[in-house]
Amino acid sequence: MLPIPFASSFVNPAGSAIRELFPYLSQPGIISLAGGYPSPSLFDAEGLQEAAARALSGGGALQYGATEGMPALREALALLCRSRGMVCSPSDLIVTTGSQQAFDLLLRIFIEPGDTVCVETPAYPAAIQALRLANAKIMAAPVDGQGLDVDALAARLALLPMAQRPRLVYTVPTFSNPCGTLLPAARREALVRLALQYHFLIVEDDPYGELSFIDDRPPSLYAVGQRIAGDGNPVLYLSSLSKTVAPALRIGWLTAPPDVLRRCVVAKQTMDLCTSPLAQQIAAEYLGAGRYPAGVERARTEYKQRMQAMADGLHARLGKKIAFVQPQGGMFVWLRSTVPVNAKQLFEAAVQCGVLYVPGAAFYPEAPDLGTLRLSFAAPDVGQIQEGIERLARAFAQAS
Amino acid sequence: MLPIPFASSFVNPAGSAIRELFPYLSQPGIISLAGGYPSPSLFDAEGLQEAAARALSGGGALQYGATEGMPALREALALLCRSRGMVCSPSDLIVTTGSQQAFDLLLRIFIEPGDTVCVETPAYPAAIQALRLANAKIMAAPVDGQGLDVDALAARLALLPMAQRPRLVYTVPTFSNPCGTLLPAARREALVRLALQYHFLIVEDDPYGELSFIDDRPPSLYAVGQRIAGDGNPVLYLSSLSKTVAPALRIGWLTAPPDVLRRCVVAKQTMDLCTSPLAQQIAAEYLGAGRYPAGVERARTEYKQRMQAMADGLHARLGKKIAFVQPQGGMFVWLRSTVPVNAKQLFEAAVQCGVLYVPGAAFYPEAPDLGTLRLSFAAPDVGQIQEGIERLARAFAQAS
């Protein structure tokens, strides 16, 4: 029994719904379509071993580093941003401990308890959780097969009293988690103009953008914001090396205006002082060695095959029982059941049939659509995906 | 110009006073007695290179990991805790991104805006900064040559209305930053009993404990709390590998009761998901290789020599102009001027004489003693320390 009570938001802490699936993963023979993990088979272990050896040669990269991030890595990440169509110099970004920390930093410097933050829904669960712990008021914005429904958001904003308007709008516009959707160029421009009209900032979370199955994708919201508003760009850009190099580096970054970065640095000093300079140096050495583009290309090719196997299997085995939009990139397929199913029964049946997915409820801040499921095609291979969909079809047969 | 204002605590963010010294460090020939950095000459680069090679062999340690930390590292850290006289199993601790994150986690789960946190003063600046950003009410507790003045704290608590009593008391009892003092066993027991009497938790920050210049030091507050209160132990224990292995790993940990750890894990999920599994695996491999004790022994021997050189120099060159307690471990000497000096003039004179220190004001949440200075003997070698003290003496002569 503790002598003092916990803070209000921690009296009944909600853990991650996805973490609660972990126990099932150890079940022998189970096929997991649940995780949001990249495929270990795509990790460039050799390239990272070489990068680590170089980073540690001569005992470098062992001391504390600047909170903003190491100059060599900021250079390399600015180069990545430019390759994504953004105007970006190293001083326009800071390195963060995964992009998760970048989002947390933005909440710390912008959000007071009770402030409204708008989130495309269904949404990335850790973003919802971070908003809950920040005691933010969550405004759910609807999505469709093309991502955030900007017209619907505009209509809602027009009806909101000033005091209830969101300060931030969080979105994953490019191959979203969980829906896998791609926001069209016209909607990107409309969203930026909406931000300028209603004075909110857009948090563009872009971990998946380079995992594209198509030749050209629309420009990032950040680039659109630069084109339309210049220095008044209302877009704050988050990205990460977790999906394209390795999650274990915990290297993310935030591209934002100077005064936002300065305040984030002050907050980061109290959070972890600096992101591991060793991990930063390894990442800088890896990016500097020029192996990144080939690695991303391998991931694109592999994930596209796996996505196709999943889409084909779903059409063949579940047909009209489900609806989904075939993703043009990323790691996820979002299913909506078109027949009445009991979500709890379906999940239990799936576990019994030996396949795991994430029930859609995990992605809603409130009022979940219980007939939804998130499947990931990133980690399992084509054979496992085909067998996994077979098992999912059996589970549907049992639960519907 | 941003479309929305910053949160109140970030309208005028105070940066780290120590970071503001960085520009001076590039001044040619300057000797820095300012930094709190460990000596790079003590880093076991070879051991860490081998550990990194093992960690990355076969492409391990590249995926996401559990938020609590990797089992192998939790094992190794629990072993370290036991070697420090604590009863500790791997499930009694979580790995954090430096001990800074552990303190931040504790503020998140325990402190609401306006809650009182008691801090031994002078104190570690990043702790003060974290409390400011958490909008905590800071209660400064006095220290003397033996660390926290527990009797004085008891007298103050007795006069405080219930509502103003602190929820947490933060202390670095073993070779404190900035004072380098060692809290005696009797005071440790008295502080634990005070926590039980007034229902506060003690945050014991212990990054320096193993850097001891004496053969036996008193048990940690955590161990005292276990002995006195068993499962009702009011002590939360923070430590780190930054001062004994390498800061760049950013590996710290929190040893605490299960429900505290569970809530910290929920908060950590929203902060960085997990501490770099690559850095964790490297740390686990390093600790597993058995090189840690010899490394700590080297640091003890080297730092003791440097401390002695600094103490001798101070006595010889500044004599009665200053007062200080000769540290029995750690990295710092805390000076109080016994003659009237203008702190600003003294610092400017010191920079002109080519020596850098941290003005004491950086270590006070309020009402700083401007006649105080923190010197670190960790990074400079004996020769630099001797020359640095010569220069400091010249600066005193100019400013007093």
Side-chain angles (χ1 to χ4, degrees):
Chain A
M1 174 52 192
L2 280 172
I4 71 170
F6 291 102
S8 57
S9 32
F10 282 97
V11 175
N12 295 305
S16 152
I18 291 174
R19 284 172 47 87
E20 281 154 22
L21 301 177
F22 282 2
Y24 297 109
L25 291 170
S26 53
Q27 187 172 306
I30 197 148
I31 292 176
S32 176
L33 307 177
Y37 289 15
S39 174
S41 69
L42 292 167
F43 293 148
D44 180 4
E46 183 194 344
L48 286 163
Q49 283 161 24
E50 291 172 8
R54 282 196 301 277
L56 282 164
S57 66
L62 294 177
Q63 192 55 278
Y64 288 104
T67 307
E68 296 83 347
M70 296 174 78
L73 182 57
R74 294 173 83 193
E75 276 285 355
L77 296 177
L79 202 63
L80 265 187
C81 285
R82 293 198 292 276
S83 76
R84 298 176 186 181
M86 300 157 58
V87 179
C88 184
S89 72
S91 61
D92 295 323
L93 64 87
I94 61 171
V95 176
T96 57
T97 306
S99 53
Q100 184 69 40
Q101 185 184 55
F103 184 61
D104 194 42
L105 283 166
L106 291 175
L107 296 188
R108 287 212 187 183
I109 72 168
F110 283 120
I111 301 305
E112 316 248 21
D115 286 343
T116 300
V117 175
C118 177
V119 177
E120 62 181 359
T121 301
Y124 173 50
I128 297 171
Q129 178 75 335
L131 289 166
R132 287 208 177 104
L133 297 188
N135 294 302
K137 194 159 161 297
I138 301 177
M139 169 183 168
V143 303
D144 61 18
Q146 298 190 306
L148 186 63
D149 185 337
V150 180
D151 289 343
L153 176 60
R156 292 204 39 200
L157 289 172
L159 299 175
L160 275 185
M162 184 88 83
Q164 290 173 37
R165 285 183 191 163
R167 296 163 64 82
L168 304 175
V169 172
Y170 173 82
T171 178
V172 182
T174 311
F175 317 129
S176 81
N177 177 8
C179 295
T181 50
L182 176 62
L183 194 70
R187 286 197 190 183
R188 292 174 188 242
E189 177 155 345
L191 181 58
V192 167
R193 296 196 184 280
L194 209 57
L196 297 170
Q197 179 184 353
Y198 287 101
H199 305 298
F200 59 79
L201 293 171
I202 299 167
V203 180
E204 176 180 30
D205 192 359
D206 185 32
Y208 310 109
E210 291 190 336
L211 302 178
S212 174
F213 309 150
I214 56 180
D215 288 340
D216 38 37
R217 54 187 196 274
S220 68
L221 285 165
Y222 187 92
V224 172
Q226 282 187 314
R227 176 172 55 78
I228 293 178
D231 289 347
N233 185 0
V235 184
L236 310 170
Y237 181 84
L238 275 48
S239 192
S240 164
L241 298 181
S242 295
K243 307 304 190 293
T244 51
V245 180
L249 290 170
R250 308 306 302 121
I251 298 292
W253 73 93
L254 166 66
T255 307
D259 51 357
V260 173
L261 295 182
R262 191 164 54 84
R263 284 167 171 82
C264 285
V265 164
V266 171
K268 185 170 162 61
Q269 285 168 27
T270 69
M271 285 163 72
D272 62 9
L273 298 180
C274 62
T275 295
S276 168
L278 178 53
Q280 288 189 66
Q281 189 63 39
I282 293 171
E285 294 282 354
Y286 184 83
L287 294 171
R291 296 174 74 116
Y292 181 85
V296 169
E297 197 48 51
R298 272 197 309 279
R300 278 201 197 100
T301 308
E302 186 62 41
Y303 288 158
K304 185 175 185 177
Q305 287 171 9
R306 295 177 183 196
M307 180 278 294
Q308 198 59 59
M310 181 172 280
D312 294 346
L314 288 168
H315 286 305
R317 307 293 294 111
L318 280 155
K320 296 204 160 21
K321 285 185 177 175
I322 51 142
F324 68 96
V325 174
Q326 181 163 320
Q328 296 170 284
M331 295 169 43
F332 305 109
V333 172
W334 181 248
L335 296 189
R336 187 174 295 92
S337 171
T338 55
V339 294
V341 290
N342 175 314
K344 192 164 173 302
Q345 270 177 25
L346 179 63
F347 184 74
E348 285 163 2
V351 170
Q352 272 161 23
C353 295
V355 64
L356 215 56
Y357 64 85
V358 183
F363 303 92
Y364 291 83
E366 59 189 0
D369 177 347
L370 296 176
T372 55
L373 304 68
R374 190 194 75 175
L375 306 184
S376 172
F377 49 80
D381 62 30
V382 166
Q384 292 167 319
I385 288 169
Q386 289 165 334
E387 174 60 22
I389 299 300
E390 292 285 340
R391 297 176 183 183
L392 185 62
R394 285 202 290 279
F396 258 88
Q398 290 175 28
S400 62
Chain B
M1 175 54 193
L2 281 171
I4 72 170
F6 291 102
S8 55
S9 29
F10 283 97
V11 176
N12 295 306
S16 152
I18 291 173
R19 284 172 46 88
E20 282 154 24
L21 301 177
F22 282 3
Y24 297 110
L25 291 171
S26 53
Q27 187 171 309
I30 197 148
I31 292 175
S32 175
L33 307 177
Y37 289 14
S39 174
S41 68
L42 291 167
F43 293 148
D44 181 3
E46 182 194 342
L48 287 163
Q49 284 162 22
E50 290 173 8
R54 282 196 301 278
L56 281 164
S57 66
L62 293 176
Q63 193 54 277
Y64 287 104
T67 305
E68 296 83 345
M70 298 175 79
L73 182 57
R74 294 173 82 192
E75 275 286 354
L77 296 177
L79 203 62
L80 264 188
C81 286
R82 293 199 290 278
S83 77
R84 299 176 186 182
M86 300 157 58
V87 179
C88 184
S89 72
S91 61
D92 295 323
L93 64 86
I94 60 171
V95 176
T96 58
T97 306
S99 53
Q100 184 68 40
Q101 185 184 55
F103 184 62
D104 195 42
L105 283 167
L106 291 174
L107 296 188
R108 287 213 186 181
I109 72 168
F110 283 119
I111 301 306
E112 316 248 22
D115 286 342
T116 300
V117 176
C118 176
V119 178
E120 62 180 0
T121 300
Y124 173 49
I128 296 171
Q129 178 74 336
L131 289 165
R132 288 209 178 103
L133 297 189
N135 294 304
K137 194 160 162 298
I138 301 177
M139 170 182 167
V143 304
D144 60 20
Q146 297 189 307
L148 185 63
D149 184 338
V150 179
D151 289 342
L153 176 59
R156 291 205 37 199
L157 289 172
L159 299 174
L160 275 183
M162 184 89 82
Q164 291 173 36
R165 284 182 191 163
R167 295 164 65 82
L168 304 175
V169 171
Y170 173 82
T171 179
V172 183
T174 310
F175 316 129
S176 80
N177 177 7
C179 296
T181 49
L182 176 62
L183 194 70
R187 286 196 191 184
R188 291 174 189 242
E189 177 155 345
L191 181 58
V192 167
R193 295 196 185 280
L194 209 57
L196 297 170
Q197 180 184 352
Y198 287 101
H199 305 299
F200 59 80
L201 292 171
I202 298 166
V203 180
E204 176 180 30
D205 192 359
D206 185 32
Y208 310 108
E210 291 189 334
L211 302 177
S212 174
F213 308 150
I214 55 179
D215 288 340
D216 36 39
R217 52 187 198 275
S220 67
L221 286 165
Y222 187 93
V224 173
Q226 283 186 314
R227 177 171 55 77
I228 293 178
D231 289 347
N233 185 0
V235 183
L236 310 170
Y237 180 84
L238 275 48
S239 193
S240 165
L241 297 181
S242 294
K243 307 302 189 294
T244 51
V245 180
L249 290 170
R250 308 305 303 121
I251 298 293
W253 72 93
L254 166 66
T255 307
D259 51 356
V260 173
L261 296 182
R262 191 164 53 83
R263 285 168 170 83
C264 285
V265 165
V266 171
K268 185 169 163 62
Q269 284 168 27
T270 69
M271 285 163 72
D272 62 9
L273 298 179
C274 62
T275 295
S276 168
L278 178 54
Q280 287 189 68
Q281 189 62 40
I282 293 171
E285 294 283 354
Y286 184 83
L287 294 171
R291 298 175 72 116
Y292 181 84
V296 169
E297 198 46 51
R298 272 196 311 279
R300 280 201 194 100
T301 309
E302 185 61 43
Y303 288 157
K304 185 175 185 177
Q305 287 171 9
R306 295 178 182 194
M307 179 280 294
Q308 198 59 60
M310 181 172 280
D312 295 345
L314 289 168
H315 286 304
R317 308 292 295 110
L318 280 157
K320 297 202 161 22
K321 285 185 176 177
I322 51 143
F324 68 97
V325 174
Q326 182 163 318
Q328 295 170 284
M331 295 169 43
F332 305 109
V333 173
W334 181 247
L335 297 189
R336 186 174 295 92
S337 171
T338 55
V339 294
V341 289
N342 175 315
K344 191 164 173 300
Q345 269 177 25
L346 179 62
F347 184 75
E348 285 164 3
V351 170
Q352 273 161 21
C353 295
V355 65
L356 215 56
Y357 64 86
V358 182
F363 303 92
Y364 291 84
E366 59 189 359
D369 177 347
L370 296 176
T372 55
L373 303 68
R374 189 194 75 176
L375 307 184
S376 172
F377 49 80
D381 62 30
V382 166
Q384 291 167 319
I385 288 169
Q386 288 165 336
E387 173 61 21
I389 298 302
E390 292 284 340
R391 296 177 182 182
L392 185 62
R394 285 202 290 279
F396 258 87
Q398 290 174 28
S400 61

